[in-house]
Structure formats: structure tokens, C-alpha cells
Amino acid sequence: MGMHTDAHIVWDWNGTLFHDVDAVIGATNAAFAELGLEPLTLERYRELYCVPVPKFYERLMGRLPSGAEWELMDATFHRYYSEHRVRCALAEGVAELLARWSAAGRSQSILSMYGHDDLVPLVRGFGIESHFIRVDGRAGPSGGGKSEHMVRHLGALTGVDPTHTVVIGDAADDALAARHVGAGAVLYTGGSHSRASLEAVGVPVVDTLAEAVVEAERLAG
């Protein structure tokens, strides 16, 4: 795709570019119901959510789920999510933000822990694929963190300098992955974490993706 020497954004997908929080909460509660756990509100979910995901379940159950319990809950989550994601849309203003960043000659990519084979057609279906020099989803088992995936993702990008790269996501793990590769991070409150839990990470926290892009430009400059 050519050399890019200006600021680069690595976007998260779920809960960031893709506003799917309602489907995620529904899928989480469907998974909890398999073990007789009480459903969560959005506020409670944002207070407790963390990765790796089994640790999130431990916060609710008082123990880590067994292997069989994890497999059951994971399968239930993904089945429910796949059925309900069709009602979800891009976050407000995403198409315009992506187009404006590209028009300025800057590069951007997606790194998500959503399955790669599901992610790529979903991005394509929204008509925004051309804005990204690379789209990477998860290739292995679900439930883990993003740091090592970020190493591979940036390593596959030509002409992208981590010191001029900013990760925009909705989870503390996005900032940890950015720190792991020497990149900056901006965290967005529209997804999986509460503002308080995001602010504890020590990076800029914003309420809109438009603010996130302004911060990314400042950090990567």
C-alpha cells in the first residue's frame, strides 16, 4: 500500500468502530444463564469487565470457570452474538472520521479480537474497508489479551512507526497492548468499560470517537 510516515491509528472494532454493546450484554447474559448466574446491567458489566475473559467470569462467580463451563459459556456467547449483531451499526460519525483521516494522507488499520473470518466481511459490508491498510481479527481461541496480536499486527505494516501510532479502543487491554509495542492510546467510553476503570489506566479517555481522533493526532504528532 506504499510507505506511511505520518500518524497511524490502530482501531479496535467491537465497542469502538462497531457499536455492538447491546448485543454483547445480551450475549453475556445468555452465557451467564447457562450457569444460573444473574443477568448484568450495562453499568455493572462496564464496572467488572476485563480480559482475559475467564477473569471477568471469576469476578462474578468467585472462581474461575472450569474448562467445560468456559466452553459452554463461550459457545453460548458467540451463538447469541452472531444472531443479534445484525441489528448493530457503526458508531456515530465513523464513516466521516475514517474518510477524513485517509484524505489527510494518514494511515489506519483494524486489530480486533473478534474472529478474523467474521470480521473481514463485516467491515466490508459497511463499505469502509478501503480506508484501512490492514484488517486483522483473532485467528486463535477467544478470551485472551491483545498485546502479542498487536506485535504481529504492527510488524505486518509497512512504513508504520509505533512511536507515531495510536491505538483507539474501548478497553483497558487496548492501552496495555499499545504500551507493549511503544504506541500511544486513547480510550473511548462507548463500549465495554466504565469511565472510572478506563481513567485508571493513565491514558486519555474520551466520550466520542471524534474526540479520540483529535487526541490521536496530538499524541502521534
Side-chain angles (χ1 to χ4, degrees):
M1 301 293 293
M3 294 291 289
H4 298 271
T5 56
D6 206 344
H8 179 82
I9 291 176
V10 178
W11 292 96
D12 176 54
W13 179 250
N14 303 93
T16 304
L17 291 177
F18 189 46
H19 186 67
D20 62 348
V21 66
D22 291 337
V24 168
I25 295 298
T28 299
N29 285 332
F32 287 171
E34 293 285 353
L35 299 187
L37 299 173
E38 292 295 319
L40 290 176
T41 63
L42 173 60
E43 291 72 24
R44 185 67 172 153
Y45 177 91
R46 284 174 166 165
E47 287 174 8
L48 295 174
Y49 181 74
C50 65
V51 294
V53 176
K55 293 290 289 182
F56 170 50
Y57 291 157
E58 182 182 24
R59 290 183 172 185
L60 293 154
M61 300 170 64
R63 61 175 176 82
L64 282 169
S66 68
E69 288 171 335
W70 164 252
E71 289 181 9
L72 175 62
M73 296 172 80
D74 191 50
T76 302
F77 178 96
H78 286 98
R79 182 172 62 251
Y80 183 102
Y81 181 83
S82 294
E83 293 171 358
H84 290 81
R85 75 179 188 196
V86 296
R87 294 199 289 270
C88 301
L90 296 176
E92 183 178 357
V94 160
E96 294 81 5
L97 288 172
L98 297 177
R100 196 176 306 137
W101 188 265
S102 294
R106 302 181 177 116
S107 60
Q108 50 198 329
S109 59
I110 292 175
L111 175 61
S112 172
M113 293 297 92
Y114 190 45
H116 184 80
D117 291 342
D118 294 315
L119 173 67
V120 171
L122 191 53
V123 173
R124 187 174 296 143
F126 281 112
I128 58 174
E129 185 182 25
S130 64
H131 294 303
F132 305 107
I133 60 173
R134 188 174 182 90
V135 175
D136 280 334
R138 174 182 48 78
S142 62
K146 189 176 274 189
S147 292
E148 294 308 318
H149 297 274
M150 187 68 72
V151 172
R152 290 191 290 272
H153 180 73
L154 288 185
L157 300 179
T158 300
V160 171
D161 181 350
T163 64
H164 293 285
T165 296
V166 176
V167 177
I168 298 178
D170 68 313
D173 190 52
D174 292 300
L176 297 178
R179 189 174 299 158
H180 187 68
V181 296
V186 180
L187 297 179
Y188 164 61
T189 62
S192 60
H193 280 37
S194 67
R195 171 175 273 278
S197 62
L198 294 178
E199 288 177 341
V201 182
V203 302
V205 176
V206 298
D207 296 319
T208 70
L209 292 182
E211 292 174 279
V213 171
V214 171
E215 281 293 317
E217 187 170 16
R218 180 183 66 82
L219 291 171

